Amino acid sequence: MEFLIASAIGMLTACGCYLILRSRSFAVVLGMTLLSYAINLFLFASGRLAVAAPPVLGQGSAPGDPLPQALVLTAIVISFGMTAVTVMMALGAHLSGGDDRIDMPRADRVPPEERE
Amino acid sequence: MSPALIVLLPFAGALLTMLAAGRGRAAVAGGAAAMTGLALAGLCLHVPAILQGQTVASRLDWLPQLGLQASFRIDGLGLLFGLLILGIGLLIQLYARHYLAPAEPVVRFYSFLMLFQGAMLGVVLSDNMLLLLVFWELTSLSSFLLIGFWSGQAEARRGARMALVVTGMGGLAMIAGLMILGHVAGTYQISDLLAARGAIQSSPLYLPALLLILLGAFTKSAQFPFHFWLPHAMAAPTPVSAYLHSATMVKAGVFLLARLWPVLSGTPEWFWLVSGTGLVTMLLGAWVALSRDDLKALLAYSTVSHLGLICLLLGLGTAEAALAAVLHILNHAIFKAALFMTAGIIDHETGTRSVARLGGLRRLMPVTFAIGTLAALSMAGIPPLNGFLSKELMLEASLHAPGIGWAIAATLSAALSVGYSLRLVRAVFLGPVRGDYPRPPHDPGAGLWLAPGLLVALVVLIGLMPDQAAGWLVRAAATAVTGAEAQAHLALWHGWSGALGLSALAVAAGLALLARRGVWQLPLPDARRIFDRVAAGVLRLARLLGDGLGNGSMARALAALLVVILACAVLAYAGPGQPALTRPMLPAPPVAVIGWLVLMLACLAMTACHRDRLLALVLVGIVGLMVSGLFLYLSAPDLALTQITVEVVTVILLLMALNFLPRRSRRGSAGARRGFDAGLSVLAGLGFGGLAWVVMRSQPELPSISGYMLRNSHALGGGDNVVNVILVDFRGYDTFGEITVLGIAALVIFALAQALLAGALPRHPVRGPGDHPQMLAVVARLVLPMTLAVGLHMFLRGHNLPGGGFVAGLIVAAALMAQYMAMGQAWVQDRNRLAWQGLIGAGVAVAGLTGIGAWLAGRPFLTSWHDKIALPGLEPFELASAMGFDLGVFLCVLGAVMLALDALARLARALRGAPGAKEAEWNS
């Protein structure tokens, strides 16, 4: 089981990294989603894996480690918020610029007083 | 008055001057002067105690873990500098009130000046090195602001920038040096540090620390080769030059040398570095001063020279020389401030500072003539003025230094000093009255000459009665510097001594120098050009590096980041201390293997087809589903619930966003680039997967803190679902922050949508929903009450069973979203009475108020309360105040998700109405 999780984390990371290195906004959003999965899984796994041991008291068996779960739970919600903001920004850029490239053209990087 | 309060008063004055804005120059200057005077009075109250050898201290722990204490201490040296800073500060404030034209931004000037005054007082009264460093940087910053006060002039801007770069750079070096010193001595308290001479001087870190500290002191006190910023700082208004750049700030460097004299001095390194630098600076500055045409430049170079002299004296390392240094710090501050103010008066009244255009002012400006001449004669070291005293002591000390060279150099410098001082008097005041002054000169009002006049009175007073006028102060300061009781008796007449002979020689040589018409110019390189060239080079390098890494392409920046992370990972994997992989593995049932296969394939497929947006979205949904399943299988029901509801909401949101985007995105990068990225990504995947493998297969090094939470969840939090209890109770503060962030994110989305709606709408084809399928509409309406009931159930049971505010909020949000999809945004928006922003605010408020409720019971914020409740007709149940907090979470999550969705929906509605929008099927 540990191998499955580790390889899944590896795959999610690799695909996530590849996608965020694209220069189109949608791919970056997808890549970030995959990366968040990878990181959430990793955080979760740092509490070590356990089967049939939910961290709920009074359920008989020894409960699992609740702390990574609490951390990951908030992380899931926050990454939703981040995705939503990114999507909105990508959308705004696309609608006002007519393009979904995320690179900044040189003209936008040079401060106004240094432009020829 | 507490030393801390004395330091704070000028800062309060800086605020006061701003409050007095609009009430005229007099009110502004008066406010500043009142605070300065108050601080001065407070300082004077301590004089008797300090003269008896006591020190006055106040101490406040600030960050004791870092060794940072807000501790202040006044000893003799601090007293001397404090009196100089506040006394001359008061006179400068009077002078500037009349010097600045009413049209100038007087408020800004005075508040900067007070800021500087507070910072400088902080430097000299701090008893903690870290605190001293903070104030030290503040003096550099306020000096920058004051030099650049006339920001319209290119010269002022350049001078300010140069001063900041040079002193700031030195300040950085000094931070490192003082940190080393504190590390070696084991304390950052200066008073404790001064006792650690042996430990510091025997440490191998002594030399690096010394070099770094000297770098800081030399840049600040304009020592060669960093002297060049000071003449350029003369672009500042003259009151600033008189205050910062002659009397106080430039003395900060020598102050530091004096402060650390007990622990750093006495070694050959100290002797040669400090005295050698001082010697070169002294001669160089004096020689250049001889030939300057601008009055202020002449004075600036003479300041450089005199600072070199003080440095030299401190470097000699004898108590006698240290006393001479302290006396000269006092004397130089007094006569040089007077000279600068005189130069300011001349500039003010004649309209020029050029020596070549002046002359003959003796008859036209007799008061200024008297003041300027006395101050200049003191600078030349002519008896019976105060400059003579310190020059005698300096010559005496140089005679006692090893080798005859020091005495020769000291005499030469004294001769040059006579030369440029008398040249100033001759060129400005003597000679025939000219007819071509830019303005007809006459003496200014008392407001301008009173301040230098008082200083010149001091020049004479100290010269005539040195022991009564200044001996007590100088002895106290010298005692503080050397650590041994200073006994010297100051007197004008020392008897026939070697020093007197050298002095006479110097005056004669100086007069001879004056008789020559021109002097040989030193072939000095133009420091400004070198500085500009170096600065431009550094800028080019920075730009090259910046453009190379961040050329505006996010992909490139991220790739660079990945490479760095990978390099760190390689180091970590190759390093020692790898944990043993001993933890036994769990068996993998077939269903887990199938789920794993689906996840892996979905990832690969998504990467391959990411340009087909809809397909990619479906695949991301599959991945999310598998991850949720994984959580469920691995005993994390809360995570599974959250993940799956977030997944639903995210996919809906992305679907709505896709509405506005073309179905396929274009290919963004070339083949080679994709290959490189793929290689990098595979490495990253291997690294992170490997890390996860190592973590899962090894035993934790430290016991988990979860044990505490598991044990106390029921007793303290009143709940059995430990994850939920952690969220709403143990780590409730985190959650509170988190829902706030989520709310802010939703508001950002809302604001972005508003901005887009307010702007010009695009003419892209937008696919919008056509007819809404009847089936979907019916089902969605049917399901709504049931989903709401499920949400309520999840919320209520959350404290004891999987569920809780997050999950409930997401479920309800998903149910409402289904209405948007089935009935259309318009239908829902027309029927919705809830303001989602309000819901977010209500959520944060409810959570916050629940937390504050704990205060009523005298407990810290967010302490929860719980009890068994028995209501008629119901079984007894446990109720915890944390439920109120969870309600806040629920409201905030619901509001945030719905606000984001609503923003997108409104955007879609508006775009559909926009010209050029093309209707297309929603579910095509």
Side-chain angles (χ1 to χ4, degrees), chain B residues 230 281-282 285-290 292 295-309 328 332 335-336 339-340 379 417 420-421 424:
Chain B
L230 189 57
T281 311
M282 175 176 85
W287 191 269
V288 176
L290 266 182
R292 291 291 111 164
L295 268 184
K296 277 178 80 176
L298 189 158
L299 291 175
Y301 276 104
S302 84
T303 304
V304 168
S305 168
H306 282 266
L307 288 168
L309 164 64
H328 199 60
H332 176 253
F335 69 66
K336 191 53 71 65
L339 276 172
F340 265 111
M379 177 158 78
S417 196
Y420 62 69
S421 303
L424 186 150

Side-chain angles (χ1 to χ4, degrees), chain B residues 593-609:
Chain B
V593 178
I594 292 170
W596 174 80
L597 263 178
V598 172
L599 186 145
M600 301 295 260
L601 287 176
C603 280
L604 284 175
M606 190 170 113
T607 312
C609 323

